[in-house]
Amino acid sequence: MASIAEIIRSNHGEIVRCWMEEATRAASARGLDKPEFRNIMPTYLASLAEARASGGDGDDMQRQHVESHVSARLRQGFHVAEVVEEFAILGRCITQMWAHTPPALQPDVHDVERLYTELHVAMESVTDLFGKHLLEEEQTEKRYLRLLQQVASEALRLDGPASRNRLKELLEVILEAMGAQSGALLLYEPAGERLVTAASTGAANEQLEHYATSLDAKSFPGSIVAAGEETYSLWDAMTTTLEVSDTLRQGGLHSLLGVRLPAHRALMGVLYIGLTDTREFTSREKQRLQTLGQHLSIHLENAQLYANLQDKVEALQAERSLREQFVTILAHDLRGPLSAARLGAHALIRAPEKLDTRRDLALRIDRNIDRADQMVKDLLDANRIQAGQRLPLRLDTCDLGGIAHDVVEELSMLHGERFVLKAAERVRGIWSAEELRRALWNLGTNAIKYGADALPITFTVTSTETEARASVHNQGPAIARADQETIFRPFIRTRSAQTGSSHGWGLGLSLVWGCAQAHGGRVELTSDADTGTTFSLVLPWDARPFQADLGKSENTGRVSSGA
């Protein structure tokens, strides 16, 4: 009668071949080559024979082999049931070695029972080891999630570059949790419908950072987005048919794994990691990246909400400061004409007998009341503009050059002969003379306030077949690019205006813009240190179509055919 130890020794190679054939089919081999797949099991098989020969002293050695086998299978992404099945297959392959031999040559029942007891112990060890591993994995995952939360919470308290640097720290936490060599975080930019690299870190991060960031399905990020809730991986960036840059192919990264942020709702971005190894990612690795990606999405959403809240708070604070400043200026400016009118009225009351001889006082009162009325009108019109409404116009046929001539004369009387008018003849259209006069006056006074002292201010009126143009040019400091984007908003003043000696409500240019918009035209601005600053009011020849939707109550002006 043969012992199982003798059967194993004499049929060791055949048992391993039998096991390999069945086990590779059962576990699909995970893409492993034969040395990787069979690296531990032949040694464990030999230890079964040695344990019998030594009377059971090889139990510790068997446990070590089982632990090594489980550890290898964990790294290769096997499930616990697959590894348990491997030991069951081994038992069947050993049994086959005596299945067709005469009973006299078969091992006795006790020897067989002991074999299956040892294999059962091995299977229990596999289950225990997997359980401990999953518990450790869970604790490790919780630790990284806590660390991710801590770094994200600190990032929320920072602004600007410091906050952006925290994204790299978040990515480094994820890299450590995944055991990866490189990683990148790409955020979606809705305006350009593209992905922009927000952070990258690890080995070959330059190649990973500049890896394709388009949403095209042929790119790796595009494939990640298309995968939705599932992760998407590349077996080898060196051989993939997806779009991969030559620098990445030569950068040493092979296997890539990515996840969409977030899995549901609108696209926020893409997170992916890279390995220098060439292998498939385990289901556990994919699940971990999904979990980390979900938490990162939450932190990014919180950061965006926080940033939006900060912007709103700053806007409210700026509006409050602006309102307080505006009220102060308004009270100061209105006090002047109202005080003058009141003093004139008191003088007339005290000497009513001189009413006929003090006509100048009555005219002064009238002028100051007109000034106060114009201030209130400007304020009401600015509120209309701010609310997105079009200014109502009283339209008539008028001469743009004649309006500019009147404005230049009035400004010259107040500020001296600094003003030059260059006007083409008969630039006549259907416009509001009142609004155009106010717009050109505001452009002229604006040039006086912020242009170079004593240098000419030039008014130019020209026309083409489709439009008329009135421009005001002055030499002096250029208007900053950032200020040019906001300068036409009501109550907004440039930085230089805020720090300079000139004061105002910040309404003049917004009223110019409102005038152009009400006529169906536009305002153009060019400004640089060499050529100076030019504001141009560009108008269509007939403003009536652009006033038709304001209603009869706001469009009661008469349109004549005057020459």
Side-chain angles (χ1 to χ4, degrees):
M1 182 175 293
S3 68
I4 289 181
E6 292 171 343
I7 293 172
I8 291 174
R9 288 195 186 99
S10 59
N11 297 281
H12 185 276
E14 189 175 350
I15 294 172
V16 171
R17 282 192 297 274
C18 171
W19 176 82
M20 280 283 294
E21 289 177 3
E22 292 195 42
T24 52
R25 287 198 300 269
S28 301
R30 297 291 178 189
L32 306 173
D33 58 24
K34 287 186 177 180
E36 286 180 307
F37 188 73
R38 54 172 285 178
N39 57 352
I40 304 296
M41 194 58 80
T43 307
Y44 171 75
L45 178 62
S47 72
L48 289 176
E50 294 171 5
R52 282 163 175 72
S54 61
D57 292 338
D59 289 349
D60 290 340
M61 185 61 68
Q62 288 181 47
R63 279 194 295 273
Q64 291 179 18
H65 292 325
V66 171
E67 289 176 0
S68 298
H69 185 72
V70 170
S71 178
R73 290 301 188 246
L74 284 169
R75 291 193 302 271
Q76 294 156 353
F78 281 67
H79 297 294
V80 60
E82 293 174 328
V83 183
V84 169
E85 177 66 10
E86 285 185 333
F87 284 92
I89 291 171
L90 182 65
R92 291 198 298 270
C93 290
I94 295 173
T95 303
Q96 288 177 16
M97 295 302 105
W98 71 77
H100 302 292
T101 60
L105 299 178
Q106 295 179 4
D108 63 36
V109 175
H110 296 293
D111 203 4
V112 174
E113 182 179 352
R114 183 183 170 193
L115 169 66
Y116 280 100
T117 299
E118 290 173 344
L119 290 173
H120 180 72
V121 169
M123 294 177 194
E124 287 185 338
S125 297
V126 169
T127 304
D128 290 342
L129 289 168
F130 262 87
K132 291 178 181 178
H133 171 75
L134 290 176
L135 182 61
E136 291 175 358
E137 282 277 288
E138 183 179 352
Q139 295 301 318
T140 300
E141 194 169 283
K142 287 181 178 178
R143 182 173 71 85
Y144 282 115
L145 289 177
R146 284 196 301 270
L147 184 57
L148 200 65
Q149 173 67 49
Q150 178 184 348
V151 176
S153 297
E154 292 175 358
L156 287 177
R157 294 193 292 269
L158 300 172
D159 294 318
S163 182
R164 288 192 293 272
N165 290 339
R166 283 294 187 174
L167 287 177
K168 184 174 182 180
E169 294 185 37
L170 290 171
L171 191 57
E172 289 171 347
V173 170
I174 293 172
L175 215 63
E176 182 181 347
M178 296 299 302
Q181 286 77 54
S182 193
L185 172 64
L186 310 178
L187 297 181
Y188 180 60
E189 186 182 80
E193 295 185 348
R194 65 191 184 105
L195 294 166
V196 178
T197 302
S200 64
T201 188
N205 79 354
E206 182 179 353
Q207 286 79 14
L208 198 58
E209 179 178 358
H210 294 95
Y211 185 51
T213 57
S214 72
L215 292 173
D216 190 280
K218 295 180 180 179
S219 71
F220 179 53
S223 300
I224 296 172
V225 173
E229 297 183 23
E230 301 297 325
T231 57
Y232 187 85
S233 60
L234 279 185
W235 175 272
D236 189 357
M238 302 288 290
T239 59
T240 182
T241 57
L242 294 179
E243 293 178 356
V244 179
S245 66
D246 292 336
T247 53
L248 182 63
R249 291 184 190 276
Q250 301 167 7
L253 291 175
H254 292 272
S255 300
L256 300 174
L257 177 66
V259 65
R260 184 186 192 274
L261 303 177
H264 307 284
R265 305 188 308 280
L267 176 66
M268 182 184 299
V270 164
L271 167 69
Y272 57 93
I273 60 169
L275 303 178
T276 53
D277 298 334
T278 303
R279 67 171 177 83
E280 179 58 273
F281 290 91
T282 68
S283 59
R284 187 64 182 169
E285 288 174 323
K286 294 177 181 179
Q287 181 182 353
R288 174 170 286 185
L289 188 63
Q290 284 177 322
T291 302
L292 293 168
Q294 290 170 3
H295 282 75
L296 180 59
S297 297
I298 293 172
H299 299 322
L300 290 173
E301 287 177 342
N302 288 340
Q304 185 61 53
L305 290 172
Y306 181 81
N308 291 341
L309 179 61
Q310 286 288 91
D311 290 343
K312 289 182 179 179
V313 169
E314 291 175 2
L316 288 173
Q317 290 175 340
E319 183 180 350
R320 178 183 177 183
S321 175
L322 187 63
R323 189 184 301 114
E324 292 175 350
Q325 180 184 7
F326 174 73
V327 169
T328 301
I329 296 174
L330 175 62
H332 175 272
D333 287 359
L334 281 176
R335 187 180 295 117
L338 292 176
S339 296
R342 184 180 60 183
L343 291 174
H346 285 174
L348 292 177
I349 291 171
R350 286 195 300 268
E353 70 281 359
K354 297 182 179 180
L355 181 60
D356 292 337
T357 60
R358 297 303 306 271
R359 183 175 179 79
D360 60 319
L361 282 177
L363 292 174
R364 191 181 306 166
I365 292 171
D366 186 61
R367 283 196 302 269
N368 281 288
I369 291 175
D370 283 345
R371 284 179 57 198
D373 180 66
Q374 185 61 46
M375 290 179 187
V376 173
K377 183 179 183 299
D378 288 351
L379 179 58
L380 292 174
D381 285 346
N383 283 334
R384 282 197 182 96
I385 294 169
Q386 193 170 32
Q389 300 175 7
R390 188 171 297 206
L391 296 179
L393 303 178
R394 295 181 61 85
L395 298 174
D396 201 346
T397 301
C398 51
D399 184 351
L400 187 58
I403 295 170
H405 179 271
D406 292 343
V407 171
V408 166
E409 279 196 344
E410 292 178 20
L411 289 173
S412 297
M413 290 176 62
L414 294 173
H415 303 285
E417 301 297 328
R418 293 181 54 191
F419 300 92
V420 178
L421 175 62
K422 300 177 181 179
E425 294 183 0
R426 296 187 61 80
V427 182
R428 302 172 69 84
I430 300 176
W431 303 311
S432 169
E434 179 184 1
E435 287 298 331
L436 293 178
R437 185 175 290 107
R438 180 171 66 171
L440 293 179
W441 176 275
N442 285 335
L443 290 177
T445 55
N446 195 70
I448 294 168
K449 287 181 181 179
Y450 308 114
D453 293 338
L455 292 180
I457 296 172
T458 304
F459 284 68
T460 304
V461 177
T462 58
S463 65
T464 65
E465 292 184 0
T466 58
E467 61 189 21
R469 177 183 296 261
S471 301
V472 179
H473 171 269
N474 65 270
Q475 297 290 341
I479 300 173
R481 178 72 61 180
D483 287 332
Q484 291 184 31
E485 297 176 359
T486 60
I487 199 170
F488 294 106
R489 297 178 188 171
F491 311 113
I492 297 297
R493 305 179 72 218
T494 65
R495 294 175 181 83
S496 59
Q498 294 174 25
T499 57
S501 58
S502 298
H503 300 286
W505 295 4
L507 299 182
L509 292 178
S510 66
L511 293 172
V512 173
W513 181 89
C515 172
Q517 188 257 357
H519 282 87
R522 65 187 184 276
V523 182
E524 296 178 355
L525 166 61
T526 60
S527 183
D528 61 66
D530 295 330
T531 61
T533 299
T534 301
F535 286 91
S536 296
L537 188 63
V538 184
L539 305 169
W541 288 108
D542 189 347
R544 285 176 294 183
F546 306 98
Q547 287 284 301
D549 58 346
L550 291 180
K552 295 181 180 179
S553 62
E554 294 184 330
N555 190 18
T556 58
R558 178 180 60 85
V559 180
S560 71
S561 58

